[in-house]
Amino acid sequence: MPTTDRATIVTARPLGPASGSARRPRPLQRIRWSIVLAAGWLALLVVVAATADLLPLSEGRDPSRTLSVVAMAPPTLIGAHPLGTDALGLDILAQLIYGARVSITVAVGATALALLLGAMLGMTAGYARGPVDQIIGFVTDVLLSFPGLILLLAMATFLRPNTANVTVALGILALPGYVRLARSNTLAIASREFVTASRALGAGAVRILVRGVLPHLVPTLLSYGFLAMSFLIVAEASLSYLGLGIQRPDPTWGNLIATGQAHLETHPGLVAIPAAALFLTVASANALGQWLSSRRGPA
């Protein structure tokens, strides 16, 4: 019986995956309902706050229109005052919506101010280095050396407590974080090959920063922006609660909590309702910021 050398036996195998181990299609990414709910809550706040003047909410801002309204009216979900009224007869739902407008305006404005200035200063420091980096770093360290609350109290003493001044004060408070974040990422990006090639081709510093560095920084700055926004909402509410922020009759979530504190035992909803809105907004902004941070790739 002829023998066959095992070394000469060639087993034909398919180029694709074996029949018994065929790749299964990748399942669709599961929807994170927490992120959907967080985005939905923030979107609802933005829409309602933007259209508040179109809604029948005048009783929440003008005390002269509430002389015939019963004070401390209980919530009636299908009545004229779904969440009730406060000690002055002002509608709680209306004040909650106008308070959302203040919180969103201040938080978004302060975040945008800090993001723009912080990105510009951080990119300049990380790209130029040398004395420019040292000067910007010194100013940043000086701002960071003051406790946040002390810095806000100092600025509130010299600034009139309106929406614009509170926005600027909170923007200055959030500025150092953006400067450091932009600087550290610029240092890493500036050493890459495409930046070296742009310099060799004669591109200027402004062109390199705007067209080469900034697009890589945007995802990082935006994800950090949602986290900073949640902090700024709490900071604005804290100032209003202490009487150093926006004053009544303009409602904010902070001064609503401060006003309702006197009736906490008999009418806890005066504090619980704005506190719940504040909690949901801060938690939603934090959730979105962490989700964006986990999804962004390396700078």
Side-chain angles (χ1 to χ4, degrees):
M1 183 176 180
T3 59
T4 303
D5 189 0
R6 293 183 179 180
T8 62
I9 297 177
V10 178
T11 303
R13 296 182 179 179
L15 296 178
S19 59
S21 62
R23 291 184 180 180
R24 298 179 180 179
R26 177 180 292 183
L28 294 176
Q29 188 177 4
R30 292 184 300 176
I31 298 177
R32 296 183 59 180
W33 291 107
S34 60
I35 301 302
V36 175
L37 293 176
W41 171 256
L42 293 178
L44 177 63
L45 280 182
V46 171
V47 172
V48 172
T51 60
D53 291 334
L54 304 178
L55 302 175
L57 300 174
S58 59
E59 294 182 353
R61 303 187 69 187
D62 188 358
S64 65
R65 300 191 181 187
T66 62
L67 298 178
S68 60
V69 179
V70 179
M72 296 296 187
T76 55
L77 297 181
I78 58 175
H81 307 288
L83 299 180
T85 60
D86 62 5
L88 299 176
L90 298 175
D91 186 73
I92 295 178
L93 178 59
Q95 295 182 85
L96 199 67
I97 292 176
Y98 280 107
R101 169 183 287 186
V102 172
S103 295
I104 293 174
T105 301
V106 171
V108 173
T111 301
L113 177 64
L115 191 151
L116 293 176
L117 291 179
M120 181 179 64
L121 294 175
M123 288 192 303
T124 302
Y127 185 81
R129 305 183 185 182
V132 175
D133 187 15
Q134 294 177 0
I135 294 174
I136 296 177
F138 174 76
V139 175
T140 303
D141 292 338
V142 170
L143 291 176
L144 288 174
S145 63
F146 288 96
L149 183 58
I150 302 300
L151 183 61
L152 287 177
L153 292 177
M155 288 187 290
T157 303
F158 297 99
L159 297 177
R160 185 178 179 182
N162 54 32
T163 303
N165 290 336
V166 172
T167 300
V168 172
L170 293 178
I172 294 175
L173 181 66
L175 180 63
Y178 283 99
V179 174
R180 287 194 166 188
L181 183 64
R183 177 186 178 276
S184 61
N185 283 272
T186 302
L187 287 174
I189 297 172
S191 60
R192 292 188 177 181
E193 291 79 3
F194 72 90
V195 176
T196 305
S198 298
R199 290 172 180 167
L201 293 175
V206 176
R207 181 183 179 87
I208 292 175
L209 290 176
V210 173
R211 304 192 62 178
V213 177
L214 183 60
H216 292 80
L217 291 181
V218 169
T220 303
L221 294 177
L222 289 181
S223 61
Y224 179 76
F226 278 96
L227 298 175
M229 193 180 302
S230 63
F231 163 75
L232 294 176
I233 292 175
V234 175
E236 184 277 325
S238 301
L239 285 178
S240 298
Y241 177 81
L242 296 174
L244 300 174
I246 299 171
Q247 308 291 328
R248 300 300 297 266
D250 292 331
T252 68
W253 290 343
N255 60 36
L256 287 179
I257 295 174
T259 303
Q261 187 177 4
H263 310 279
L264 181 60
E265 295 183 358
T266 57
H267 296 82
L270 296 179
V271 174
I273 292 175
L278 180 63
F279 169 78
L280 290 175
T281 305
V282 172
S284 299
N286 269 326
L288 282 179
Q290 293 176 0
W291 179 70
L292 290 175
S293 180
S294 64
R295 286 183 62 87
R296 66 178 176 83

